[in-house]
Amino acid sequence: MSGNSLFHSAKQYEDAISSKLADGQLRKNLKSAMTTLKTNRKNLISSRYTDWEGLRELGKEVKIKSLSKLDELLERFESNALKNGFKVHWANDAQEANEIIYKLAKEKRVSKILKGKSMASEEIHLNAYLKEKGILATETDLGELIIQLIDEPPVHIVAPAIHKNRYQIGEIFKDKLDAPLESEPEKLNAIARKHLRKEFEDFKMGLSGVNFAIANEGAIWLVENEGNGRMSTTACDIHVAICGIEKIVESFEDASILDTLLVPSAVGAPITCYNNIITGARKDGDLDGPQEAHIIMLDNNRSNVLADSHYYRSLSCIRCGTCLNHCPVYDKIGGHAYLSTYPGPIGEVISPQLFGLDNCGYMVNLCSLCGRCSEVCPVKIPLAELIRDLRSEKVGEGRGDVRGYKKVHRNKSEKIAMEVFASLATSGLKWRMLLHLVGLFSPLGKKMAPILPGLKNWVFCREFPKINASLHAKVKNLKGVIYE
Ligand code: SF4
């Protein structure tokens, strides 16, 4: 699990990955969930959209436009949000964001906060921080509730408990909520609903994330499927929203384009059950709404990412999770093996930048560079390209200005191995000699590989390749081949 520590060694990653690969039930659950999400998305896009690619291009343009004038849009958003009656706070880092929330809770003498789903709150490890201060943060999103009961972080940025099947969820509810053992989705929902209704009685402070913050209106847009988000933002005395600064867009029209891309990509549905557009605290004549509404604008190194002319594109992410669903690595190991709040392809791009390449550089190895993530990303972030570039940074071949780059401990033997490989692969004579030798020793290599230090790990879950050293000679003798 990611815990509060940002640094994770290669050994920690290898252990986490091995244990996830060995968990047959986890792999079965992930495969089934990912297949459903991918199929739903594909069917919806082919049946309901006449120009999905055009829409993706529009989404990309909206995000690039917003990021290109983010400073101006942030100012405009603050000014309009204040006029609407929001209180706007600025947090440079996780500590500042947590302190703002704690201070608000303390002022209002609140000892329990009910939370809607928010990856930003996961990023700042809010629940653990509040727990230390004696405040209970209770998750109200069904998936978040399930993993909170078993003290796990989210496994996926959209579906936090997607690694558990309904039988496992039934067991969790039985153990943790003292409920009868059930496995039917309707009955499981009823158990969760009954439990959460009790929590919603008399609560004072609700917390949510933000999908889009609209500068021209000073409003926030929250997308959700369960209604718990609406409760957390409306039925409480104080509502606090945590918003990464990259969530700003200029207008409702821009936000609508992104919303039209977000929901189909995330869950394969045309629209969510609840679209909450929040314009501040309760006003005179309003029938409901909180007495106070606060927005925390979270930087946490996003400004540094924005200043990077190459990697800033990763701030376009609208957190739909579809790059995770299509990743052939994620669907084998799940999100916990990435040891970061943000897993999968987008996690590999933003985690090293938000938290330091020195802390989570190993993550960029968890990619086959197949390019599916770039093909499906609704806002066209070139994920595979950025992952490859971060790999270069990690081995000292890049530009060297990713946060934490200087402290990355490079693997000396890997570096030497790559240099030797480059020297052999760029000389025809050396390469042919090498192939000849490999061909001679390959039967022996197959037997020895499981005990040789350099090859042991590699062949652990791979077949030793069949090496045909005579291919070169065969090609040379093929009719019609002009060989020089
Ligand atoms: S990178 Fe693209 S596909 Fe992945 S979560 Fe973000 S918006 Fe979705």
Side-chain angles (χ1 to χ4, degrees):
M1 303 309 122
S2 59
N4 285 337
S5 167
L6 293 177
F7 174 74
H8 292 100
S9 64
K11 170 88 174 66
Q12 283 172 298
Y13 272 106
E14 283 162 12
D15 288 349
I17 293 161
S18 303
S19 90
K20 299 300 169 193
L21 285 175
D23 186 341
Q25 186 63 60
L26 173 92
R27 294 182 62 172
K28 209 168 149 197
N29 295 348
L30 286 170
K31 186 165 189 278
S32 147
M34 298 300 117
T35 305
T36 308
L37 286 169
K38 283 188 289 189
T39 310
N40 290 351
R41 173 189 169 277
K42 194 172 156 211
N43 292 344
L44 181 81
I45 290 172
S46 60
S47 63
R48 295 281 291 263
Y49 292 80
T50 49
D51 186 13
W52 178 255
E53 287 311 308
L55 192 59
R56 282 178 78 210
E57 190 57 35
L58 267 181
K60 172 186 155 189
E61 284 166 16
V62 163
K63 283 304 299 192
I64 289 182
K65 178 186 76 172
S66 311
L67 293 172
S68 69
K69 50 178 178 178
L70 196 64
D71 50 349
E72 182 201 325
L73 294 184
L74 283 166
E75 275 178 29
R76 204 187 304 170
F77 174 78
E78 181 180 34
S79 149
N80 288 328
L82 289 171
K83 277 186 217 149
N84 282 340
F86 274 115
K87 296 194 166 92
V88 182
H89 309 257
W90 297 89
N92 274 319
D93 55 25
Q95 181 70 18
E96 283 185 21
N98 283 329
E99 279 168 9
I100 293 166
I101 296 165
Y102 173 59
K103 209 166 146 242
L104 285 169
K106 213 170 136 203
E107 269 170 27
K108 314 290 173 196
R109 299 207 174 93
V110 167
S111 58
K112 182 175 86 172
I113 298 177
L114 292 194
K115 288 179 64 200
K117 189 172 172 341
S118 154
M119 284 308 288
S121 76
E122 298 288 341
E123 180 185 323
I124 61 173
H125 299 289
L126 176 68
N127 293 11
Y129 175 91
L130 290 176
K131 195 173 171 192
E132 270 178 24
K133 304 278 182 189
I135 294 175
L136 185 65
T138 301
E139 300 291 347
T140 62
D141 171 88
L142 180 57
E144 291 282 355
L145 168 72
I146 293 164
I147 53 166
Q148 187 174 42
L149 290 172
I150 50 174
D151 202 19
E152 282 189 7
V155 77
H156 188 282
I157 59 178
V158 172
I162 205 160
H163 57 313
K164 298 285 179 199
N165 65 25
R166 59 196 172 102
Y167 303 100
Q168 292 170 304
I169 294 167
E171 293 282 353
I172 295 169
F173 284 176
K174 177 174 168 285
D175 291 349
K176 306 288 178 180
L177 300 180
D178 216 8
L181 183 61
E182 300 288 358
S183 59
E184 293 306 315
E186 292 77 14
K187 290 186 176 157
L188 294 171
N189 271 336
I191 293 170
R193 198 179 299 122
K194 192 171 158 205
H195 167 73
L196 286 172
R197 280 209 173 129
K198 281 203 306 278
E199 298 284 339
F200 278 116
E201 280 169 15
D202 302 328
F203 86 112
K204 288 199 166 52
M205 188 163 164
L207 194 131
S208 74
V210 171
N211 287 96
F212 314 110
I214 304 151
N216 287 351
E217 312 291 337
I220 56 174
W221 186 333
L222 195 61
V223 174
E224 49 127 357
N225 258 328
E226 297 171 14
N228 65 305
R230 182 159 290 181
M231 290 293 283
S232 304
T233 57
T234 307
C236 47
D237 293 343
I238 311 141
H239 166 219
V240 183
I242 312 181
C243 178
I245 55 170
E246 82 283 15
K247 296 287 175 82
I248 293 274
V249 291
E250 185 157 19
S251 62
F252 265 128
E253 288 72 22
D254 286 352
S256 304
I257 290 168
L258 297 180
D259 186 62
T260 315
L261 286 160
L262 169 67
V263 187
S265 303
V267 287
I271 192 168
T272 45
C273 296
Y274 297 90
N275 277 294
N276 307 291
I277 294 164
I278 301 165
T279 52
R282 181 188 298 216
K283 297 183 180 59
D284 288 345
D286 283 354
L287 295 178
D288 58 13
Q291 285 146 22
E292 284 181 28
H294 299 257
I295 304 175
I296 300 173
M297 302 303 295
L298 177 69
D299 188 318
N300 214 19
N301 211 36
R302 286 163 172 78
S303 302
N304 289 335
V305 179
L306 186 65
D308 188 307
S309 60
H310 188 53
Y311 294 109
Y312 85 99
R313 284 288 312 276
S314 54
L315 293 178
S316 298
C317 176
I318 53 173
R319 306 282 190 265
C320 71
T322 203
C323 58
L324 279 64
N325 304 344
H326 288 77
C327 174
V329 177
Y330 178 91
D331 74 6
K332 310 290 180 301
I333 59 177
H336 291 160
Y338 291 79
L339 304 178
S340 169
T341 303
Y342 299 106
I346 184 59
E348 287 170 58
V349 175
I350 56 172
S351 299
Q353 298 182 75
L354 294 181
F355 312 128
L357 187 56
D358 47 343
N359 286 322
C360 38
Y362 191 94
M363 274 183 98
V364 295
N365 296 347
L366 304 180
C367 172
S368 65
L369 290 183
C370 69
R372 280 160 91 184
C373 50
S374 312
E375 280 170 19
V376 294
C377 175
V379 283
K380 291 192 162 186
I381 303 175
L383 291 159
E385 184 192 319
L386 297 179
I387 292 170
R388 193 197 57 214
D389 293 344
L390 282 164
R391 282 185 179 179
S392 304
E393 306 284 359
K394 196 172 76 115
V395 295
E397 299 278 329
R399 302 164 310 148
D401 52 6
V402 177
R403 189 187 186 213
Y405 169 81
K406 295 282 184 292
K407 288 181 266 166
V408 174
H409 300 293
R410 283 178 221 132
N411 183 331
K412 281 200 187 113
S413 26
E414 188 181 313
K415 192 167 187 291
I416 293 168
M418 283 300 156
E419 278 165 5
V420 172
F421 173 78
S423 142
L424 293 169
T426 49
S427 154
L429 182 64
K430 286 186 202 167
W431 188 248
R432 281 193 290 277
M433 279 172 63
L434 175 75
L435 278 187
H436 185 67
L437 285 174
V438 168
L440 282 181
F441 290 103
S442 112
L444 190 63
K446 190 168 182 171
K447 287 204 175 72
M448 300 287 287
I451 50 167
L452 287 175
L455 286 174
K456 196 164 71 175
N457 288 346
W458 197 85
V459 293
F460 175 65
C461 43
R462 293 181 184 89
E463 288 284 321
F464 194 82
K466 280 186 194 149
I467 297 162
N468 188 345
S470 62
L471 181 65
H472 189 263
K474 280 184 191 160
V475 172
K476 195 174 172 181
N477 293 327
L478 279 180
K479 207 176 160 194
V481 171
I482 301 168
Y483 197 87
E484 292 178 6

